[in-house]
Amino acid sequence: MDSEEAPLGYDVFRRTCPSHTVLETLASKWVYLTVCALRRGRMRNGALARKLEGITPKMLTQTLRVLERDGLVRREVFPVIPPRVEYELTELGQNLAGLLSQIRSWAEEHAPDIKDARARALADHHDDMAVLP
Amino acid sequence: MDSEEAPLGYDVFRRTCPSHTVLETLASKWVYLTVCALRRGRMRNGALARKLEGITPKMLTQTLRVLERDGLVRREVFPVIPPRVEYELTELGQNLAGLLSQIRSWAEEHAPDIKDARARALADHHDDMAVLP
DNA sequence: CGGCATCCTATGAGATACTG
DNA sequence: CAGTATCTCATAGGATGCCG
């Protein structure tokens, strides 16, 4: 019946399903952007910090640790001074990055549409107000 | 150079870029699941509430309002008693739903991998502890 | 049934300063 | 440079209760 069921009983709609918790971690702005940023190859911490405009050191580290824990990112430390740490996507991570990049492209492509929709929604809302004399 | 740049200067990495705010709203568990749930056709509020296990009435409405505002979901009210309200994806919404469904499938497919990765990370962490006598 | 309006708290996330 | 440690604040999101 359902044309797109999970392989083996996995179901994102069920709170207790592992796939649900996976989705929960993916549903994060910084996870999104970090994975996309790493898509083209390994990057140093500082480079990431610069690419991810507005991210704080704390959030960057936190995000990277989550991705590392989930096996999406590999962390490599070079024992030099000053310290040098590089991050790169694992195979699993690259796999995901492809999909996230599509979302990214979609967001960039349809940003105007959504901006318009929001403006219209706002205008309508003002119309409601305008009904009052 | 960059093989996947935005059509016209849109860039999700820039905080002020409209596409960035779009991504911000997409980066939500409930937005994700709601769009996926509506993928196969229009649904009533109650049906959605049942499908989205664990969602509160408040979050459901809130999520639907955001999606409606952004032009991804259309809301139809039937003036009957008891009330009947249906939601369905707009064309833009369906477009997005295709991509989100891929993420969903990915999450379900690779849930085991990530579960393993997490277990391993946890085990390693315990090893660290074990170093102490 | 659908969905506001409240209230409340757990925590996501920013700013800042410090250390190896 | 990479990362940690605090402190703080906004708010996402849960629990309830009432209304058309």
Side-chain angles (χ1 to χ4, degrees):
Chain A
M1 353 217 99
D2 284 343
S3 56
E4 280 199 62
E5 271 314 305
L8 255 133
Y10 283 103
D11 180 2
V12 281
F13 290 108
R14 300 216 157 261
R15 265 177 326 186
T16 56
C17 179
S19 67
H20 184 95
T21 73
V22 170
L23 201 71
E24 267 178 320
T25 78
L26 293 187
S28 143
K29 178 175 113 179
W30 294 124
V31 164
Y32 240 90
L33 292 175
T34 302
V35 171
C36 283
L38 286 173
R39 183 150 188 252
R40 291 191 195 125
R42 50 169 51 207
M43 290 179 77
R44 295 186 60 171
N45 187 314
L48 277 169
R50 261 169 275 118
K51 177 94 178 172
L52 305 180
E53 193 181 288
I55 198 171
T56 58
K58 179 186 154 191
M59 280 312 296
L60 178 55
T61 302
Q62 188 174 310
T63 303
L64 286 167
R65 291 285 126 70
V66 167
L67 292 174
E68 194 189 0
R69 181 203 61 182
D70 287 0
L72 300 170
V73 160
R74 189 163 25 243
R75 177 168 177 267
E76 188 168 2
V77 183
F78 299 82
V80 296
I81 291 178
R84 175 187 187 90
V85 178
E86 292 188 352
Y87 294 92
E88 66 176 345
L89 295 177
T90 63
E91 209 164 321
L92 192 62
Q94 290 182 36
N95 190 315
L96 175 65
L99 298 182
L100 295 193
S101 279
Q102 285 184 46
I103 305 278
R104 177 204 164 170
S105 299
W106 187 93
E108 289 173 346
E109 233 171 276
H110 296 284
D113 300 341
I114 295 183
K115 227 173 68 174
D116 289 355
R118 284 179 186 172
R120 237 175 294 122
L122 208 61
D124 289 357
H125 180 254
H126 285 145
D127 285 355
D128 290 353
M129 301 286 92
V131 174
L132 303 169
Chain B
M1 350 227 100
D2 285 342
S3 55
E4 280 199 62
E5 272 313 305
L8 253 131
Y10 283 103
D11 180 1
V12 281
F13 290 108
R14 299 216 158 261
R15 264 177 326 187
T16 55
C17 179
S19 67
H20 184 94
T21 73
V22 170
L23 201 71
E24 266 179 321
T25 78
L26 293 187
S28 144
K29 178 174 110 177
W30 294 125
V31 163
Y32 240 89
L33 291 175
T34 303
V35 170
C36 283
L38 286 172
R39 181 147 189 255
R40 292 192 194 122
R42 50 169 50 208
M43 291 180 78
R44 296 186 58 171
N45 188 313
L48 278 170
R50 261 170 275 118
K51 177 94 177 171
L52 305 180
E53 193 181 289
I55 198 171
T56 58
K58 180 186 157 190
M59 280 312 295
L60 179 55
T61 302
Q62 188 175 310
T63 303
L64 287 167
R65 290 294 175 285
V66 167
L67 291 175
E68 195 189 358
R69 181 203 61 182
D70 287 1
L72 300 169
V73 160
R74 190 164 24 244
R75 177 168 177 266
E76 188 168 3
V77 183
F78 298 82
V80 296
I81 292 178
R84 175 188 186 89
V85 178
E86 291 186 355
Y87 294 92
E88 67 175 345
L89 295 177
T90 62
E91 208 164 321
L92 191 62
Q94 290 182 36
N95 190 315
L96 176 65
L99 298 182
L100 295 193
S101 280
Q102 286 185 46
I103 305 279
R104 177 205 163 168
S105 299
W106 188 91
E108 289 173 347
E109 232 171 277
H110 296 284
D113 301 340
I114 294 183
K115 227 173 66 173
D116 290 354
R118 284 179 187 172
R120 236 174 297 123
L122 208 61
D124 290 357
H125 180 254
H126 285 146
D127 286 354
D128 290 353
M129 300 286 91
V131 174
L132 302 169

